Every structure is written in structure tokens, then in C-alpha cells.
Amino acid sequence: ELQEKLQEEQVVVAQKAQVSQRLMEHVEKEKDMVSGEQEKAEIEENKTNIVFQESQALESECKRDLEAAQPIVQEALAALDSLNKGDLTELKALGKPPPDVELVVVAVMCLTADPKRIPPKKARDWANCKKMMANV
């Protein structure tokens, strides 16, 4: 009777050992899969960190550029405040202005135009600049 019970117990132990073995194999597979996913995640994290560092560097560069441009913008605004109607009248009276003057007035014409109706290149000439100045 003890022998029979021992044999029954051995069968149960053998079954549980098989179940444990399958469970261990399953856990090992899952562990390998997790390890692979973790490696992928680390690679993506490294890529993300590089992009973040590059964006930080770009942000710093943009801030420096903006700080450098601010005095120039302030100077330009101050120069605009010094213009008067007589200056525009004198400018409109020019038959053929120097190329740099025409370039600046064309730029002003483009900058002050409605963004949906910026003049095409062929319309960026002195005659159209004079029309624009007539409306000022």
C-alpha cells in the first residue's frame, strides 16, 4: 500500500515537473523577448536623447541669434520713426533710383503687402513701388 501511494505520488510529481519545465521554458522565452524589447527601447532612448540635445543646441543658437538681432531691429524701428512725408515725396520724385534704393523699396513693398497678394517678381519694379508709395 505504501508502494502504491509512492508510485501515485511519483506520477503526480512527474506531471508537476513537466508542467514546471514547460512553465520555465515559457518564462525563458518571455525573458528573451523582454530582453530584445529592452534593447530596442534603449536604442530608441539614445536616439531620442541625441535629438533632444540637438534641439537644445539649436534653441540656444536661436536665442543667441535673436539677442543679436534685437538691437538691429530696434535701430531699424528708430530709423523708421525718423522718416517723414517729405522723404517719401523726394523718393517718389526719383526717375531711376540707385539699385540699392530700389531694392529696399521693393522689399518694403513685399513686406507691407497682404500675405495672400505678395507682388510677383515681374511686378516688383520702380513703377509699382511708386504706386505703393502713393497709397502711404
Side-chain angles (χ1 to χ4, degrees), residues 4-5 26 29 33 50 60 85 120 132:
E4 288 177 15
K5 192 169 186 173
H26 179 72
K29 287 179 185 175
M33 187 174 73
I50 290 170
S60 296
K85 190 169 183 156
M132 180 267 309

Side-chain angles (χ1 to χ4, degrees), residues 41-57:
E42 288 172 0
I43 290 170
E44 287 301 314
E45 181 182 19
N46 289 337
K47 288 180 184 176
T48 303
N49 286 338
I50 290 170
V51 169
F52 178 74
Q53 290 170 353
E54 289 173 351
S55 70
Q56 290 291 338

Side-chain angles (χ1 to χ4, degrees), residues 6 14 23 26 28 31 36 74 85 94 98 104 106 112 114 120 134:
L6 182 61
L23 185 58
H26 179 72
E28 205 50 46
K31 189 176 172 184
Q74 294 303 322
K85 190 169 183 156
L94 295 174
V104 169
V106 166
T112 58
D114 180 359

Side-chain angles (χ1 to χ4, degrees), residues 87-99:
D87 295 332
L88 284 177
T89 304
E90 181 181 340
L91 193 57
K92 287 188 280 187
L94 295 174
K96 175 96 174 105

Side-chain angles (χ1 to χ4, degrees), residues 61-79:
E61 182 182 340
C62 288
K63 283 182 180 179
R64 282 191 306 274
D65 290 348
L66 179 61
E67 288 173 2
Q70 286 292 356
I72 298 168
V73 170
Q74 294 303 322
E75 191 177 313
L77 289 173

